[in-house]
Amino acid sequence: MCESKDLSTALSFKAAFEQLPPEVFRLAVEQAAVAISITDTRARIVYSNPSFSRVTGYSQQELLGKNQSILSYKVTPKIVYESLWGQLQRKQPWSGLLVNRRKDGSRYLADLTITPVLNAQGETTHYLGMQRDVTEMHQLEHQVMNQQALIERALDSTQAAMVMVQADLQPVMSNRSYKELEKHLGYPPLPELCQALKAQWPNLFQDDVLLNRSFAPLEVRLSGHHDPELWFSCSGEVIEEKDTSADAFYQKSFTRYLLLTLQDISHLKQQQKQLQLTSLQALLSEQERLQSVRETLSGAIYQLERPLNLINAAARLVSRREQPGSEELLSLLGEVQAAGQETVNQLTRCLPSDIREEDQVVNLNQLLQSSLSLLTPRLLAAGVIVDWQPESDLPRIQAKPTSLATLFKQLLDNALDAMQASRSDQRELQITTRSYKEFVEVTLQDSGPGIPPSDQLRVFEPFFTTRQQSDKHLGMGLTLAQEIVNSHQGLLEVDPEFTSGCRIKVQLPYV
C-alpha cells in the first residue's frame, strides 16, 4: 500500500514537471545566481549563463567554443583533475574545490560540481557545471582558523595553566601548561581545584554546578602529597559563545564557559612560610628569654620568701615572750624584714610582663606544622619518628597564635627531653588533632619513660620537675603551658590510662 502511494506521488510530480514550458527552464538557468556552464564531452563550452560571466570575467561570446581549461590555474594539483575525470568517466558527479583564473588574471576559489548529462541510452552527451566563488568564505574560515591557532599558541606559550570548563565543570580546552601540570600531578587537577575553590567561596557553586560569574584571584593548594606544596593563584573569567544553530538565528542565545587561570605561587608561598617560621622563631625565642628571666626571678623570690617567713615567725615569737633586750632584737628583725620585703618587691617589679596579643582565627594544623618545622633539626638529630595525624577539615578557632605556639613548643620540647633521657632506641612522637562538638583536641604522645601517676598532677606546679638534674629550667615549663591553656578556657591533662610513655591532651573550646 505504501509503495503504491509513493509511486503515484512520483508519477504526479513527473507529470507536473513535464507540463512546465521549456521557457521556464531557460529563464531559471539564465537568472540563476549560481554560475552554470554546459560543455560537450571534450570539455568545450557550449553554454554559459550570465552569472558565469560575472564570476569569470569572460563574456558569453568569448567563452563559446573555448575549453573549460581556460579557467584552470597551475597551482591546482594534477591529481585533482585526474580524480575529476576519473569520476566523470564512471558517469558519476564530481564535487570539489579548484583554484581558477579570471580573465584579468586574478584567482578565485571555485566550489565546483560537474554532473554528466546522459541520454536515453545512458551515454554521456554533455557535462553540466555549477560553481560558486567561495574565495571570501575560504578566507574568512582560514582567518578564524589562523586566529584560533594564534590564540592557542599564545595560550600555550604562557607560564600560567589555563583550562576552560562548562557549567557542569567538564573541561572544554586547556593549554600546554595545564597539561604539564596534569602530567606532573598524575591526575586531572580540576576536581580538586573546584573543591578548593568551593571551600573558599561556597556561593561560586550551586548543586555542584559552576555559576556564571567571574572571580578575583584566590589562593588554592593542590595535592598536599607533594613536597614542597603546590600553591596557585586562581582567577576565573566568564566567556560567552554565541549559539550558531538555526534555532538561534532570530532568537539570540549563548553558551557560557569559565576560563580558569592558575598562576604557580608555590615559591612565593614557600618564602612566606619561611618568613613566618623565622618570625615565629624570633617570637618564641623572645618568649623563652622572658620566661627564663621570669623563672630566675621567680625562683629568687621563692627562695627569699622562705627565710622571710621564718624571720616573721621569729619576730612574733620574741614579741610574745617579752624578755629583757627583746626590743633591740625585734628592732633588728624588723629591719631585716623590711630590707627583705623591699628586695622581694624590687624583684617582683623586675618580672617581665607577658607579650600582649589579640585573639585571631587560628589554624591549629598549620600552627602545629610550624612548631614541628622549628624542631626538625632536633628531631632528626635525636632520631625521632614523627607520626602526624591531623584532621583534614579541622575547624579554626579564635585564639592567641603566639601563645599557642609557645604552648606546643613547650610540650614538644618536654617530649623530646623525655625521649632523649630514655635509653630506648625506639623514639616515636605521635601528634593528632580532632574536632568535637564543643572543642578541638590536640594529642601529643611520646615513647619516653612517662610520668609516674603520683606526679601527674604535680608536674603543673611551679618549680616541680621530674628530672634528676635540670640546668636549663626550674620546673616552670608545664606551669606556663597550664597558664596558656587556662587563658584560653581550655583543658590540659596527662592521660592516666596511657602507660607506654606520656600522652598529653590539650582541649581548646570554640570561642
Side-chain angles (χ1 to χ4, degrees), residues 242-243 247-254:
K242 291 183 179 179
D243 189 353
D247 293 338
F249 185 79
Y250 290 109
Q251 295 181 349
K252 304 298 182 183
S253 64
F254 300 88

Side-chain angles (χ1 to χ4, degrees), residues 345-403:
N345 292 338
Q346 287 180 355
L347 291 176
T348 302
R349 288 192 294 269
C350 290
L351 283 173
S353 58
D354 293 331
I355 298 176
R356 297 184 62 83
E357 185 180 14
E358 298 296 330
D359 284 351
Q360 301 177 26
V361 177
V362 176
N363 185 332
L364 281 180
N365 284 340
Q366 184 177 346
L367 192 63
L368 283 165
Q369 279 187 323
S370 299
S371 300
L372 282 172
S373 298
L374 294 176
L375 292 173
T376 296
R378 190 178 173 194
L379 290 167
L380 293 174
V384 177
I385 299 174
V386 178
D387 183 10
W388 170 234
Q389 299 181 8
E391 184 175 304
S392 58
D393 296 326
L394 190 71
R396 302 189 178 191
I397 63 172
Q398 286 281 346
K400 298 176 175 61
T402 305
S403 296

Side-chain angles (χ1 to χ4, degrees), residues 185 187 192 221-231 369:
L185 293 173
Y187 60 87
E192 185 179 358
R221 180 172 63 90
L222 293 183
S223 183
H225 304 294
H226 284 77
D227 188 21
E229 295 176 335
L230 298 179
W231 281 88
Q369 279 187 323

